[in-house]
Amino acid sequence: MPRAGLTPDRLVAAAADLADEAGLDHVTLSALARRFGVKDASLYTHVRNLKDLRTRMALLAGGEMIDRIAAAVEGREAGRDTLGAFAGAYRAYALEHPGRYAAAQIRIDQDLVADSPAMRRTADVTYGMLRAYGLEEPDLTDAVRLLRSTFHGYCALESTGAFGAPRDVQASWDRAIDALHVLLQNWPREQRTTDA
């Protein structure tokens, strides 16, 4: 019988909090059971295993992150203004919630992605921002990968204090967003050839 008060949502939220406090690698079913004062076996009523827990954490974090990004870009003028707001919200979430952010990077089953309103919203907001630059597939996917790689790399380096130069980190971030904006405005379109 499930312990009173324990639900899948409470367990996932507690796991996300633990990830932010101690790091994603420290989120185990045993650690979570200790947090609730129950035996490990009690958790299997609510989650199948650690992979299931981490998948749920990824979906939770992805939903929180896109809510923050969507609120930041709402009502903004397309282009640099929207890109800056999008990037700023992304960076703020990554730095404020490192464990959740790490969970959001987990590759999850594509069927779950397709069924997740948060993941669909992520695609809608991200692709919508990039369509304003006149991009279409396959350039849209390439641009999404470029932005994600840039944002993720910057946040990962910043979070570990790896930027040692005296230049202000925020100033460098702003210049990076300026450069991405210029690149997106001048995106090199994929050459399509046709047989004669």
Side-chain angles (χ1 to χ4, degrees):
M1 175 172 286
R3 183 181 174 94
L6 275 186
T7 65
D9 288 345
R10 281 195 68 207
L11 289 175
V12 173
D17 290 343
L18 178 59
D20 281 342
E21 294 162 16
L24 182 60
D25 290 343
H26 293 278
V27 176
T28 64
L29 291 174
S30 294
L32 197 55
R34 284 193 299 276
R35 185 165 276 219
F36 282 96
V38 299
K39 300 216 181 284
D40 294 13
S42 301
L43 303 186
Y44 290 102
T45 304
H46 307 285
V47 293
R48 289 188 302 275
N49 50 38
L50 183 59
K51 181 180 179 184
D52 179 38
L53 175 66
R54 290 190 174 182
T55 297
R56 291 171 188 242
M57 290 170 63
L59 293 171
L60 170 72
E64 290 175 347
M65 193 168 183
I66 195 55
D67 286 348
R68 183 178 286 199
I69 290 169
V73 302
E74 186 176 3
R76 291 187 178 268
E77 185 176 332
R80 171 62 175 86
D81 190 36
T82 298
L83 177 63
F86 185 107
Y90 182 109
R91 179 175 170 227
Y93 188 87
L95 297 177
E96 292 168 19
H97 299 287
R100 281 172 159 83
Y101 176 73
Q105 306 313 307
I106 295 171
R107 182 178 171 91
I108 58 178
D109 183 276
Q110 289 304 299
D111 289 338
L112 291 175
V113 171
D115 289 341
S116 167
M119 297 301 105
R120 286 194 302 274
R121 188 170 185 215
T122 298
D124 290 344
V125 171
T126 306
Y127 281 72
M129 175 186 68
L130 291 172
R131 281 192 187 96
Y133 284 99
L135 299 181
E136 298 176 1
E137 288 296 1
D139 295 323
L140 275 171
T141 296
D142 295 340
V144 167
R145 289 175 176 171
L146 173 67
L147 292 183
R148 184 178 180 197
S149 299
T150 303
F151 299 164
H152 177 72
Y154 199 99
C155 293
L157 291 167
E158 183 179 6
S159 68
T160 61
F163 294 132
R167 169 83 163 149
D168 178 63
V169 174
Q170 180 64 45
S172 294
W173 173 262
D174 291 339
R175 294 300 287 152
I177 303 309
D178 289 342
L180 287 170
H181 171 62
V182 170
L183 184 146
L184 290 168
Q185 286 180 310
N186 298 282
W187 188 266
R189 299 310 196 256
E190 184 175 272
Q191 295 296 317
R192 293 174 180 83
T193 58
T194 57
D195 293 333

PDB file of all heavy atoms in Angstrom, residues 21-57:
ATOM      1  N   GLU A  21      20.526  20.488  -5.180  1.00  0.00           N
ATOM      2  CA  GLU A  21      21.357  20.615  -3.978  1.00  0.00           C
ATOM      3  C   GLU A  21      22.670  19.854  -4.093  1.00  0.00           C
ATOM      4  O   GLU A  21      23.728  20.363  -3.698  1.00  0.00           O
ATOM      5  CB  GLU A  21      20.584  20.087  -2.756  1.00  0.00           C
ATOM      6  CG  GLU A  21      19.360  20.884  -2.380  1.00  0.00           C
ATOM      7  CD  GLU A  21      18.417  20.100  -1.481  1.00  0.00           C
ATOM      8  OE1 GLU A  21      18.831  19.068  -0.898  1.00  0.00           O
ATOM      9  OE2 GLU A  21      17.243  20.509  -1.364  1.00  0.00           O
ATOM     10  N   ALA A  22      22.610  18.630  -4.608  1.00  0.00           N
ATOM     11  CA  ALA A  22      23.772  17.740  -4.540  1.00  0.00           C
ATOM     12  C   ALA A  22      24.310  17.305  -5.890  1.00  0.00           C
ATOM     13  O   ALA A  22      25.400  16.738  -5.952  1.00  0.00           O
ATOM     14  CB  ALA A  22      23.403  16.498  -3.717  1.00  0.00           C
ATOM     15  N   GLY A  23      23.570  17.543  -6.965  1.00  0.00           N
ATOM     16  CA  GLY A  23      23.975  17.101  -8.292  1.00  0.00           C
ATOM     17  C   GLY A  23      23.160  15.910  -8.740  1.00  0.00           C
ATOM     18  O   GLY A  23      22.753  15.077  -7.918  1.00  0.00           O
ATOM     19  N   LEU A  24      22.932  15.828 -10.032  1.00  0.00           N
ATOM     20  CA  LEU A  24      22.094  14.761 -10.589  1.00  0.00           C
ATOM     21  C   LEU A  24      22.641  13.379 -10.266  1.00  0.00           C
ATOM     22  O   LEU A  24      21.872  12.455  -9.998  1.00  0.00           O
ATOM     23  CB  LEU A  24      21.955  14.941 -12.105  1.00  0.00           C
ATOM     24  CG  LEU A  24      21.073  13.937 -12.828  1.00  0.00           C
ATOM     25  CD1 LEU A  24      19.636  13.978 -12.308  1.00  0.00           C
ATOM     26  CD2 LEU A  24      21.096  14.188 -14.328  1.00  0.00           C
ATOM     27  N   ASP A  25      23.949  13.217 -10.253  1.00  0.00           N
ATOM     28  CA  ASP A  25      24.539  11.906  -9.983  1.00  0.00           C
ATOM     29  C   ASP A  25      24.241  11.407  -8.575  1.00  0.00           C
ATOM     30  O   ASP A  25      24.343  10.209  -8.309  1.00  0.00           O
ATOM     31  CB  ASP A  25      26.055  11.942 -10.194  1.00  0.00           C
ATOM     32  CG  ASP A  25      26.434  12.087 -11.649  1.00  0.00           C
ATOM     33  OD1 ASP A  25      25.567  11.833 -12.516  1.00  0.00           O
ATOM     34  OD2 ASP A  25      27.585  12.459 -11.933  1.00  0.00           O
ATOM     35  N   HIS A  26      23.870  12.317  -7.684  1.00  0.00           N
ATOM     36  CA  HIS A  26      23.566  11.927  -6.300  1.00  0.00           C
ATOM     37  C   HIS A  26      22.096  11.585  -6.092  1.00  0.00           C
ATOM     38  O   HIS A  26      21.692  11.250  -4.976  1.00  0.00           O
ATOM     39  CB  HIS A  26      24.000  13.026  -5.331  1.00  0.00           C
ATOM     40  CG  HIS A  26      25.479  13.203  -5.265  1.00  0.00           C
ATOM     41  ND1 HIS A  26      26.295  12.410  -4.506  1.00  0.00           N
ATOM     42  CD2 HIS A  26      26.302  14.066  -5.915  1.00  0.00           C
ATOM     43  CE1 HIS A  26      27.556  12.777  -4.664  1.00  0.00           C
ATOM     44  NE2 HIS A  26      27.590  13.779  -5.520  1.00  0.00           N
ATOM     45  N   VAL A  27      21.313  11.693  -7.151  1.00  0.00           N
ATOM     46  CA  VAL A  27      19.897  11.318  -7.054  1.00  0.00           C
ATOM     47  C   VAL A  27      19.784   9.827  -7.280  1.00  0.00           C
ATOM     48  O   VAL A  27      19.984   9.331  -8.390  1.00  0.00           O
ATOM     49  CB  VAL A  27      19.033  12.086  -8.070  1.00  0.00           C
ATOM     50  CG1 VAL A  27      17.582  11.607  -8.006  1.00  0.00           C
ATOM     51  CG2 VAL A  27      19.114  13.581  -7.817  1.00  0.00           C
ATOM     52  N   THR A  28      19.507   9.112  -6.206  1.00  0.00           N
ATOM     53  CA  THR A  28      19.280   7.669  -6.268  1.00  0.00           C
ATOM     54  C   THR A  28      17.963   7.375  -5.552  1.00  0.00           C
ATOM     55  O   THR A  28      17.458   8.217  -4.790  1.00  0.00           O
ATOM     56  CB  THR A  28      20.417   6.894  -5.571  1.00  0.00           C
ATOM     57  OG1 THR A  28      20.413   7.242  -4.166  1.00  0.00           O
ATOM     58  CG2 THR A  28      21.778   7.223  -6.188  1.00  0.00           C
ATOM     59  N   LEU A  29      17.434   6.199  -5.784  1.00  0.00           N
ATOM     60  CA  LEU A  29      16.208   5.837  -5.082  1.00  0.00           C
ATOM     61  C   LEU A  29      16.467   5.724  -3.582  1.00  0.00           C
ATOM     62  O   LEU A  29      15.616   6.111  -2.776  1.00  0.00           O
ATOM     63  CB  LEU A  29      15.648   4.533  -5.649  1.00  0.00           C
ATOM     64  CG  LEU A  29      15.099   4.663  -7.084  1.00  0.00           C
ATOM     65  CD1 LEU A  29      14.708   3.304  -7.641  1.00  0.00           C
ATOM     66  CD2 LEU A  29      13.918   5.611  -7.131  1.00  0.00           C
ATOM     67  N   SER A  30      17.638   5.259  -3.201  1.00  0.00           N
ATOM     68  CA  SER A  30      17.974   5.166  -1.775  1.00  0.00           C
ATOM     69  C   SER A  30      18.025   6.546  -1.132  1.00  0.00           C
ATOM     70  O   SER A  30      17.503   6.753  -0.032  1.00  0.00           O
ATOM     71  CB  SER A  30      19.316   4.466  -1.583  1.00  0.00           C
ATOM     72  OG  SER A  30      19.226   3.119  -1.985  1.00  0.00           O
ATOM     73  N   ALA A  31      18.660   7.501  -1.809  1.00  0.00           N
ATOM     74  CA  ALA A  31      18.748   8.858  -1.262  1.00  0.00           C
ATOM     75  C   ALA A  31      17.363   9.480  -1.145  1.00  0.00           C
ATOM     76  O   ALA A  31      17.057  10.175  -0.169  1.00  0.00           O
ATOM     77  CB  ALA A  31      19.650   9.711  -2.143  1.00  0.00           C
ATOM     78  N   LEU A  32      16.533   9.229  -2.131  1.00  0.00           N
ATOM     79  CA  LEU A  32      15.179   9.766  -2.111  1.00  0.00           C
ATOM     80  C   LEU A  32      14.350   9.111  -1.004  1.00  0.00           C
ATOM     81  O   LEU A  32      13.596   9.789  -0.296  1.00  0.00           O
ATOM     82  CB  LEU A  32      14.527   9.544  -3.477  1.00  0.00           C
ATOM     83  CG  LEU A  32      13.291  10.353  -3.811  1.00  0.00           C
ATOM     84  CD1 LEU A  32      13.546  11.853  -3.660  1.00  0.00           C
ATOM     85  CD2 LEU A  32      12.831  10.039  -5.221  1.00  0.00           C
ATOM     86  N   ALA A  33      14.507   7.807  -0.832  1.00  0.00           N
ATOM     87  CA  ALA A  33      13.794   7.108   0.240  1.00  0.00           C
ATOM     88  C   ALA A  33      14.197   7.665   1.603  1.00  0.00           C
ATOM     89  O   ALA A  33      13.348   7.876   2.479  1.00  0.00           O
ATOM     90  CB  ALA A  33      14.080   5.606   0.163  1.00  0.00           C
ATOM     91  N   ARG A  34      15.503   7.926   1.792  1.00  0.00           N
ATOM     92  CA  ARG A  34      15.968   8.512   3.060  1.00  0.00           C
ATOM     93  C   ARG A  34      15.324   9.881   3.289  1.00  0.00           C
ATOM     94  O   ARG A  34      14.958  10.223   4.413  1.00  0.00           O
ATOM     95  CB  ARG A  34      17.491   8.643   3.066  1.00  0.00           C
ATOM     96  CG  ARG A  34      18.215   7.337   3.288  1.00  0.00           C
ATOM     97  CD  ARG A  34      19.688   7.535   3.597  1.00  0.00           C
ATOM     98  NE  ARG A  34      20.413   8.195   2.522  1.00  0.00           N
ATOM     99  CZ  ARG A  34      20.923   7.571   1.461  1.00  0.00           C
ATOM    100  NH1 ARG A  34      20.770   6.254   1.326  1.00  0.00           N
ATOM    101  NH2 ARG A  34      21.577   8.244   0.531  1.00  0.00           N
ATOM    102  N   ARG A  35      15.188  10.646   2.236  1.00  0.00           N
ATOM    103  CA  ARG A  35      14.602  11.980   2.353  1.00  0.00           C
ATOM    104  C   ARG A  35      13.168  11.899   2.862  1.00  0.00           C
ATOM    105  O   ARG A  35      12.719  12.776   3.598  1.00  0.00           O
ATOM    106  CB  ARG A  35      14.653  12.676   1.002  1.00  0.00           C
ATOM    107  CG  ARG A  35      14.172  14.121   1.045  1.00  0.00           C
ATOM    108  CD  ARG A  35      14.586  14.868  -0.204  1.00  0.00           C
ATOM    109  NE  ARG A  35      15.927  15.360  -0.038  1.00  0.00           N
ATOM    110  CZ  ARG A  35      16.375  16.533  -0.452  1.00  0.00           C
ATOM    111  NH1 ARG A  35      15.563  17.338  -1.115  1.00  0.00           N
ATOM    112  NH2 ARG A  35      17.597  16.918  -0.251  1.00  0.00           N
ATOM    113  N   PHE A  36      12.458  10.853   2.464  1.00  0.00           N
ATOM    114  CA  PHE A  36      11.065  10.689   2.891  1.00  0.00           C
ATOM    115  C   PHE A  36      10.919   9.794   4.122  1.00  0.00           C
ATOM    116  O   PHE A  36       9.816   9.600   4.619  1.00  0.00           O
ATOM    117  CB  PHE A  36      10.219  10.129   1.743  1.00  0.00           C
ATOM    118  CG  PHE A  36       9.842  11.160   0.724  1.00  0.00           C
ATOM    119  CD1 PHE A  36      10.586  11.330  -0.429  1.00  0.00           C
ATOM    120  CD2 PHE A  36       8.748  11.989   0.927  1.00  0.00           C
ATOM    121  CE1 PHE A  36      10.248  12.287  -1.373  1.00  0.00           C
ATOM    122  CE2 PHE A  36       8.398  12.955  -0.003  1.00  0.00           C
ATOM    123  CZ  PHE A  36       9.147  13.115  -1.161  1.00  0.00           C
ATOM    124  N   GLY A  37      12.038   9.241   4.590  1.00  0.00           N
ATOM    125  CA  GLY A  37      11.980   8.372   5.759  1.00  0.00           C
ATOM    126  C   GLY A  37      11.261   7.065   5.507  1.00  0.00           C
ATOM    127  O   GLY A  37      10.547   6.561   6.379  1.00  0.00           O
ATOM    128  N   VAL A  38      11.440   6.524   4.305  1.00  0.00           N
ATOM    129  CA  VAL A  38      10.796   5.257   3.953  1.00  0.00           C
ATOM    130  C   VAL A  38      11.847   4.294   3.418  1.00  0.00           C
ATOM    131  O   VAL A  38      12.980   4.668   3.158  1.00  0.00           O
ATOM    132  CB  VAL A  38       9.691   5.455   2.885  1.00  0.00           C
ATOM    133  CG1 VAL A  38       8.596   6.378   3.408  1.00  0.00           C
ATOM    134  CG2 VAL A  38      10.267   5.990   1.574  1.00  0.00           C
ATOM    135  N   LYS A  39      11.464   3.050   3.252  1.00  0.00           N
ATOM    136  CA  LYS A  39      12.360   2.068   2.658  1.00  0.00           C
ATOM    137  C   LYS A  39      12.343   2.226   1.140  1.00  0.00           C
ATOM    138  O   LYS A  39      11.353   2.671   0.552  1.00  0.00           O
ATOM    139  CB  LYS A  39      11.920   0.664   3.050  1.00  0.00           C
ATOM    140  CG  LYS A  39      11.924   0.412   4.548  1.00  0.00           C
ATOM    141  CD  LYS A  39      12.354  -0.992   4.846  1.00  0.00           C
ATOM    142  CE  LYS A  39      12.343  -1.274   6.335  1.00  0.00           C
ATOM    143  NZ  LYS A  39      13.452  -0.705   7.040  1.00  0.00           N
ATOM    144  N   ASP A  40      13.448   1.836   0.499  1.00  0.00           N
ATOM    145  CA  ASP A  40      13.552   1.958  -0.951  1.00  0.00           C
ATOM    146  C   ASP A  40      12.361   1.327  -1.663  1.00  0.00           C
ATOM    147  O   ASP A  40      11.841   1.882  -2.631  1.00  0.00           O
ATOM    148  CB  ASP A  40      14.834   1.268  -1.456  1.00  0.00           C
ATOM    149  CG  ASP A  40      16.096   1.961  -0.985  1.00  0.00           C
ATOM    150  OD1 ASP A  40      16.025   2.818  -0.079  1.00  0.00           O
ATOM    151  OD2 ASP A  40      17.164   1.643  -1.523  1.00  0.00           O
ATOM    152  N   ALA A  41      11.944   0.163  -1.176  1.00  0.00           N
ATOM    153  CA  ALA A  41      10.865  -0.573  -1.839  1.00  0.00           C
ATOM    154  C   ALA A  41       9.576   0.231  -1.913  1.00  0.00           C
ATOM    155  O   ALA A  41       8.762   0.037  -2.826  1.00  0.00           O
ATOM    156  CB  ALA A  41      10.620  -1.892  -1.116  1.00  0.00           C
ATOM    157  N   SER A  42       9.378   1.170  -0.970  1.00  0.00           N
ATOM    158  CA  SER A  42       8.156   1.978  -0.973  1.00  0.00           C
ATOM    159  C   SER A  42       8.042   2.853  -2.219  1.00  0.00           C
ATOM    160  O   SER A  42       6.945   3.212  -2.638  1.00  0.00           O
ATOM    161  CB  SER A  42       8.127   2.894   0.258  1.00  0.00           C
ATOM    162  OG  SER A  42       8.192   2.151   1.439  1.00  0.00           O
ATOM    163  N   LEU A  43       9.181   3.187  -2.801  1.00  0.00           N
ATOM    164  CA  LEU A  43       9.159   4.090  -3.957  1.00  0.00           C
ATOM    165  C   LEU A  43       8.702   3.392  -5.223  1.00  0.00           C
ATOM    166  O   LEU A  43       8.232   4.050  -6.155  1.00  0.00           O
ATOM    167  CB  LEU A  43      10.538   4.704  -4.174  1.00  0.00           C
ATOM    168  CG  LEU A  43      11.119   5.482  -2.991  1.00  0.00           C
ATOM    169  CD1 LEU A  43      12.413   6.163  -3.406  1.00  0.00           C
ATOM    170  CD2 LEU A  43      10.130   6.498  -2.443  1.00  0.00           C
ATOM    171  N   TYR A  44       8.836   2.074  -5.273  1.00  0.00           N
ATOM    172  CA  TYR A  44       8.496   1.343  -6.496  1.00  0.00           C
ATOM    173  C   TYR A  44       7.001   1.322  -6.765  1.00  0.00           C
ATOM    174  O   TYR A  44       6.577   0.918  -7.848  1.00  0.00           O
ATOM    175  CB  TYR A  44       9.086  -0.066  -6.458  1.00  0.00           C
ATOM    176  CG  TYR A  44      10.590  -0.038  -6.584  1.00  0.00           C
ATOM    177  CD1 TYR A  44      11.404  -0.192  -5.466  1.00  0.00           C
ATOM    178  CD2 TYR A  44      11.201   0.185  -7.812  1.00  0.00           C
ATOM    179  CE1 TYR A  44      12.787  -0.136  -5.578  1.00  0.00           C
ATOM    180  CE2 TYR A  44      12.584   0.232  -7.936  1.00  0.00           C
ATOM    181  CZ  TYR A  44      13.369   0.074  -6.806  1.00  0.00           C
ATOM    182  OH  TYR A  44      14.731   0.139  -6.924  1.00  0.00           O
ATOM    183  N   THR A  45       6.211   1.769  -5.816  1.00  0.00           N
ATOM    184  CA  THR A  45       4.783   1.938  -6.051  1.00  0.00           C
ATOM    185  C   THR A  45       4.538   3.149  -6.944  1.00  0.00           C
ATOM    186  O   THR A  45       3.523   3.236  -7.638  1.00  0.00           O
ATOM    187  CB  THR A  45       4.042   2.140  -4.706  1.00  0.00           C
ATOM    188  OG1 THR A  45       4.341   1.040  -3.867  1.00  0.00           O
ATOM    189  CG2 THR A  45       2.544   2.241  -4.895  1.00  0.00           C
ATOM    190  N   HIS A  46       5.488   4.079  -6.936  1.00  0.00           N
ATOM    191  CA  HIS A  46       5.307   5.360  -7.614  1.00  0.00           C
ATOM    192  C   HIS A  46       6.168   5.539  -8.857  1.00  0.00           C
ATOM    193  O   HIS A  46       5.781   6.260  -9.777  1.00  0.00           O
ATOM    194  CB  HIS A  46       5.585   6.495  -6.633  1.00  0.00           C
ATOM    195  CG  HIS A  46       4.804   6.389  -5.367  1.00  0.00           C
ATOM    196  ND1 HIS A  46       3.455   6.677  -5.303  1.00  0.00           N
ATOM    197  CD2 HIS A  46       5.166   5.988  -4.120  1.00  0.00           C
ATOM    198  CE1 HIS A  46       3.024   6.481  -4.067  1.00  0.00           C
ATOM    199  NE2 HIS A  46       4.030   6.064  -3.331  1.00  0.00           N
ATOM    200  N   VAL A  47       7.351   4.923  -8.865  1.00  0.00           N
ATOM    201  CA  VAL A  47       8.241   4.969 -10.030  1.00  0.00           C
ATOM    202  C   VAL A  47       8.780   3.566 -10.273  1.00  0.00           C
ATOM    203  O   VAL A  47       8.973   2.800  -9.329  1.00  0.00           O
ATOM    204  CB  VAL A  47       9.409   5.971  -9.839  1.00  0.00           C
ATOM    205  CG1 VAL A  47       8.893   7.400  -9.785  1.00  0.00           C
ATOM    206  CG2 VAL A  47      10.249   5.642  -8.628  1.00  0.00           C
ATOM    207  N   ARG A  48       9.023   3.246 -11.553  1.00  0.00           N
ATOM    208  CA  ARG A  48       9.460   1.889 -11.885  1.00  0.00           C
ATOM    209  C   ARG A  48      10.897   1.620 -11.463  1.00  0.00           C
ATOM    210  O   ARG A  48      11.221   0.540 -10.968  1.00  0.00           O
ATOM    211  CB  ARG A  48       9.302   1.635 -13.389  1.00  0.00           C
ATOM    212  CG  ARG A  48       7.867   1.501 -13.836  1.00  0.00           C
ATOM    213  CD  ARG A  48       7.738   1.059 -15.278  1.00  0.00           C
ATOM    214  NE  ARG A  48       8.396   1.945 -16.223  1.00  0.00           N
ATOM    215  CZ  ARG A  48       7.861   3.032 -16.732  1.00  0.00           C
ATOM    216  NH1 ARG A  48       6.636   3.395 -16.371  1.00  0.00           N
ATOM    217  NH2 ARG A  48       8.521   3.783 -17.601  1.00  0.00           N
ATOM    218  N   ASN A  49      11.765   2.607 -11.686  1.00  0.00           N
ATOM    219  CA  ASN A  49      13.183   2.436 -11.401  1.00  0.00           C
ATOM    220  C   ASN A  49      13.855   3.804 -11.505  1.00  0.00           C
ATOM    221  O   ASN A  49      13.178   4.822 -11.721  1.00  0.00           O
ATOM    222  CB  ASN A  49      13.816   1.427 -12.375  1.00  0.00           C
ATOM    223  CG  ASN A  49      13.472   1.741 -13.822  1.00  0.00           C
ATOM    224  OD1 ASN A  49      13.411   2.908 -14.224  1.00  0.00           O
ATOM    225  ND2 ASN A  49      13.214   0.707 -14.618  1.00  0.00           N
ATOM    226  N   LEU A  50      15.180   3.844 -11.385  1.00  0.00           N
ATOM    227  CA  LEU A  50      15.899   5.114 -11.441  1.00  0.00           C
ATOM    228  C   LEU A  50      15.758   5.775 -12.806  1.00  0.00           C
ATOM    229  O   LEU A  50      15.609   6.998 -12.910  1.00  0.00           O
ATOM    230  CB  LEU A  50      17.378   4.899 -11.100  1.00  0.00           C
ATOM    231  CG  LEU A  50      18.238   6.154 -11.045  1.00  0.00           C
ATOM    232  CD1 LEU A  50      17.717   7.145 -10.002  1.00  0.00           C
ATOM    233  CD2 LEU A  50      19.692   5.790 -10.750  1.00  0.00           C
ATOM    234  N   LYS A  51      15.769   4.981 -13.866  1.00  0.00           N
ATOM    235  CA  LYS A  51      15.606   5.550 -15.210  1.00  0.00           C
ATOM    236  C   LYS A  51      14.262   6.238 -15.339  1.00  0.00           C
ATOM    237  O   LYS A  51      14.167   7.337 -15.901  1.00  0.00           O
ATOM    238  CB  LYS A  51      15.766   4.465 -16.267  1.00  0.00           C
ATOM    239  CG  LYS A  51      15.634   4.994 -17.683  1.00  0.00           C
ATOM    240  CD  LYS A  51      15.794   3.913 -18.731  1.00  0.00           C
ATOM    241  CE  LYS A  51      15.615   4.500 -20.114  1.00  0.00           C
ATOM    242  NZ  LYS A  51      15.676   3.489 -21.162  1.00  0.00           N
ATOM    243  N   ASP A  52      13.216   5.615 -14.841  1.00  0.00           N
ATOM    244  CA  ASP A  52      11.881   6.210 -14.883  1.00  0.00           C
ATOM    245  C   ASP A  52      11.860   7.511 -14.082  1.00  0.00           C
ATOM    246  O   ASP A  52      11.316   8.530 -14.538  1.00  0.00           O
ATOM    247  CB  ASP A  52      10.859   5.219 -14.313  1.00  0.00           C
ATOM    248  CG  ASP A  52       9.439   5.764 -14.298  1.00  0.00           C
ATOM    249  OD1 ASP A  52       9.055   6.463 -15.255  1.00  0.00           O
ATOM    250  OD2 ASP A  52       8.714   5.492 -13.320  1.00  0.00           O
ATOM    251  N   LEU A  53      12.475   7.520 -12.907  1.00  0.00           N
ATOM    252  CA  LEU A  53      12.535   8.720 -12.086  1.00  0.00           C
ATOM    253  C   LEU A  53      13.253   9.842 -12.828  1.00  0.00           C
ATOM    254  O   LEU A  53      12.776  10.981 -12.875  1.00  0.00           O
ATOM    255  CB  LEU A  53      13.259   8.423 -10.766  1.00  0.00           C
ATOM    256  CG  LEU A  53      13.486   9.634  -9.860  1.00  0.00           C
ATOM    257  CD1 LEU A  53      12.164  10.194  -9.352  1.00  0.00           C
ATOM    258  CD2 LEU A  53      14.395   9.247  -8.685  1.00  0.00           C
ATOM    259  N   ARG A  54      14.377   9.531 -13.435  1.00  0.00           N
ATOM    260  CA  ARG A  54      15.147  10.567 -14.129  1.00  0.00           C
ATOM    261  C   ARG A  54      14.424  11.065 -15.391  1.00  0.00           C
ATOM    262  O   ARG A  54      14.516  12.234 -15.738  1.00  0.00           O
ATOM    263  CB  ARG A  54      16.547  10.060 -14.445  1.00  0.00           C
ATOM    264  CG  ARG A  54      17.370   9.917 -13.166  1.00  0.00           C
ATOM    265  CD  ARG A  54      18.812   9.659 -13.420  1.00  0.00           C
ATOM    266  NE  ARG A  54      19.530   9.687 -12.150  1.00  0.00           N
ATOM    267  CZ  ARG A  54      20.825   9.526 -12.033  1.00  0.00           C
ATOM    268  NH1 ARG A  54      21.563   9.314 -13.107  1.00  0.00           N
ATOM    269  NH2 ARG A  54      21.405   9.571 -10.848  1.00  0.00           N
ATOM    270  N   THR A  55      13.709  10.182 -16.044  1.00  0.00           N
ATOM    271  CA  THR A  55      12.909  10.612 -17.193  1.00  0.00           C
ATOM    272  C   THR A  55      11.841  11.592 -16.744  1.00  0.00           C
ATOM    273  O   THR A  55      11.621  12.633 -17.373  1.00  0.00           O
ATOM    274  CB  THR A  55      12.264   9.398 -17.888  1.00  0.00           C
ATOM    275  OG1 THR A  55      13.298   8.554 -18.405  1.00  0.00           O
ATOM    276  CG2 THR A  55      11.339   9.826 -19.007  1.00  0.00           C
ATOM    277  N   ARG A  56      11.197  11.286 -15.631  1.00  0.00           N
ATOM    278  CA  ARG A  56      10.173  12.192 -15.091  1.00  0.00           C
ATOM    279  C   ARG A  56      10.794  13.520 -14.663  1.00  0.00           C
ATOM    280  O   ARG A  56      10.188  14.580 -14.831  1.00  0.00           O
ATOM    281  CB  ARG A  56       9.450  11.541 -13.916  1.00  0.00           C
ATOM    282  CG  ARG A  56       8.567  10.364 -14.315  1.00  0.00           C
ATOM    283  CD  ARG A  56       8.057   9.643 -13.073  1.00  0.00           C
ATOM    284  NE  ARG A  56       7.374   8.426 -13.379  1.00  0.00           N
ATOM    285  CZ  ARG A  56       6.091   8.185 -13.097  1.00  0.00           C
ATOM    286  NH1 ARG A  56       5.360   9.110 -12.516  1.00  0.00           N
ATOM    287  NH2 ARG A  56       5.547   7.035 -13.393  1.00  0.00           N
ATOM    288  N   MET A  57      12.009  13.463 -14.119  1.00  0.00           N
ATOM    289  CA  MET A  57      12.721  14.692 -13.754  1.00  0.00           C
ATOM    290  C   MET A  57      13.013  15.522 -15.002  1.00  0.00           C
ATOM    291  O   MET A  57      12.886  16.753 -14.989  1.00  0.00           O
ATOM    292  CB  MET A  57      14.026  14.358 -13.035  1.00  0.00           C
ATOM    293  CG  MET A  57      13.850  13.794 -11.641  1.00  0.00           C
ATOM    294  SD  MET A  57      15.425  13.170 -10.981  1.00  0.00           S
ATOM    295  CE  MET A  57      16.403  14.676 -10.929  1.00  0.00           C
TER     296      MET A  57
END
